Amino acid sequence: RVHPLRVLFRNLQTQARYESPSHDEQDDSSFLPRSGLATPRQLVRYLDEYVIGQETAKKVLSVAVFNHYTRVRANLAAFDDESGPDSWSEANAGDAHSGVSSAHLHPHPQRALPQLSLQPRQPVSLFEKSNVLVIGPTGSGKTLLARTLARVLDVPFSVSDATSFTQAGYVGEDVDMCIQRLLQAANWDSYRASTGIVYIDEVDKIARKSSSTTESSRDVGGEGVQQALLRMMEGSVVTVQGKPSSLEPPAPTARGRSSPAAAQRKSHRNRPDTYHIDTSNVLFILSGAFVGLDTVVKRRVSKGSIGFTANLAPKEEDSDSKGFMPFFTSNRRSPENLLEMVEPSDLVKYGFIPEFISRLPTLTTLSPLSTQDLRRILTDVRGSLISQYTALFGHSGVEIRFTTASIDQICLRAIERGGGARGLRGIMESLLLDAMYEVPGSNVRYVLITGDTVLGKSPALYWMRGDGPAFWAAWADEEQRAERH
């Protein structure tokens, strides 16, 4: 008995049911992270090479990014499955001989009643969007965490500052500018931009300013910006202008040859006027120092009571109790980090509307850096400050060394100065100013920075060409002296 063969062939339709995707839209999955996306544990291990400490924040961000792009892949796969049957389908015996299938024509909607189906026409999201709010003092690594994650995922990443955002119609930047920067980072690829990461720094500056505004005035830089960000963070289609500004100066050309700027301007003319970016698959990471938020948490935690056995909160002689706020957040680690106990109600009291906070389900805090953390930032991580300045002097043919005592003194000065890791660079610049001024173009080939140099008791030590043994002997003596102390 011979069974009939089931013939698979490519249908030749007499009428297209769907628009043919353009060449730019084909193979869209190649712009996303590969199916073998690193696990959260591997992401944390990668972050450890660049960011010191902040173990909780690393876990929260790694899990949020991994779940977000898993959700994006699942949604796109579900959309592809529901977009239509595969072009290779089974055919009956009659169509197998002709090679032509029907056009699947549908009756006019006014002549036939549509058959309502309980199945949704659009794919249902498997996971809801989980934006991230990062709270931590300045210089603790908020921006570095987001940038490092974007580098390992190879996705478009844009950085915006919330201090310049205003409500639409007022002087300042609209909130749509963060999506326009994301589109520029994606090389004007709208599909790739719709799966990127938007990082908004200084988000605490858009808190509602109830004390400085009156009932007749509008807070266009605070609550107005929060309301403008609501739909964008939830997921909406944002219209972005694609044409460059008309005030751009013409790029000069040499001997009739087109310059790169002219080629870029020509590509601008080929762009559409507007782009429509769907932010449903865009991950928003918001961060800020939130100076004064610990006071709000302290008021909620320390509940007053009366009686002989009442637990009274001790008076802390800090800057917050005196009503004075320092310019830099201190690096000194408190016995308990009050920011770890932050709840959404505290952020609402700080000046955010409840609708805005509810769109940030993932909340993580960063701790101030300790002395050991600052030391590891100087020496251990990739791209450490000492390795950067060593390479900088190496371009001039000069070798520079830092003693153990000098590194300890630099960390102590950074603790007193505040500003976290950013304070380290300021100290290094002022410390090496004379050496960077004297060494280039001179006969100096070796520079030694000691603990007395950091304290200002003695200048940096210099050696000429051929004095290498004396330089290494002096460095060894300083190390032995530090070990004895």
Side-chain angles (χ1 to χ4, degrees), residues 114-324:
Q115 297 180 358
L116 299 179
S117 175
L118 297 179
Q119 299 294 332
R121 300 186 62 182
Q122 296 294 334
V124 180
S125 299
L126 301 180
F127 308 101
E128 293 185 357
K129 195 173 183 179
S130 297
N131 299 316
V132 184
L133 176 62
V134 182
I135 301 175
T138 176
S140 56
K142 300 184 295 294
T143 307
L144 183 59
L145 281 171
R147 285 185 179 275
T148 308
L149 279 177
R151 189 186 309 120
V152 69
L153 293 174
D154 192 20
V155 296
F157 180 82
S158 68
V159 180
S160 301
D161 197 346
T163 55
S164 60
F165 286 162
T166 56
Q167 197 172 355
Y170 293 86
V171 177
E173 291 184 352
D174 296 341
V175 294
D176 298 344
M177 283 298 299
C178 61
I179 303 298
Q180 185 172 358
R181 294 189 181 99
L182 183 65
L183 184 61
Q184 293 176 355
N187 197 16
W188 300 96
D189 188 344
S190 59
Y191 181 84
R192 193 163 183 257
S194 63
T195 59
I197 298 177
V198 173
Y199 178 79
I200 302 179
D201 200 3
E202 304 293 342
V203 73
D204 55 324
K205 304 304 185 295
I206 63 174
R208 182 169 52 240
K209 305 174 181 62
S210 57
S211 60
S212 60
T213 56
T214 59
E215 295 181 358
S216 59
S217 62
R218 300 190 61 181
D219 188 11
V220 298
E223 185 177 356
V225 178
Q226 297 182 37
Q227 295 175 355
L229 284 171
L230 292 180
R231 295 294 302 276
M232 185 182 300
M233 294 169 56
E234 184 72 19
S236 62
V237 179
V238 179
T239 302
V240 177
Q241 298 295 328
K243 291 296 184 180
S245 175
S246 59
L247 299 179
E248 281 190 19
T253 58
R255 297 182 180 180
R257 293 179 296 179
S258 59
S259 62
Q264 184 178 8
R265 189 170 64 252
K266 183 178 179 180
S267 63
H268 288 339
R269 289 195 293 264
N270 298 330
R271 295 175 186 167
D273 295 336
T274 58
Y275 289 86
H276 301 285
I277 309 299
D278 187 6
T279 61
S280 301
N281 294 326
V282 175
L283 180 63
F284 285 83
I285 301 178
L286 280 62
S287 70
F290 288 86
V291 178
L293 182 60
D294 53 349
T295 305
V296 179
V297 178
K298 189 185 303 181
R299 292 174 182 172
R300 176 179 56 84
V301 174
S302 59
K303 298 180 180 179
S305 59
I306 61 175
F308 292 102
T309 59
N311 295 326
L312 301 179
K315 293 184 179 180
E316 299 181 0
E317 297 297 332
D318 54 1
S319 58
D320 296 338
S321 61
K322 298 178 182 179
F324 173 73

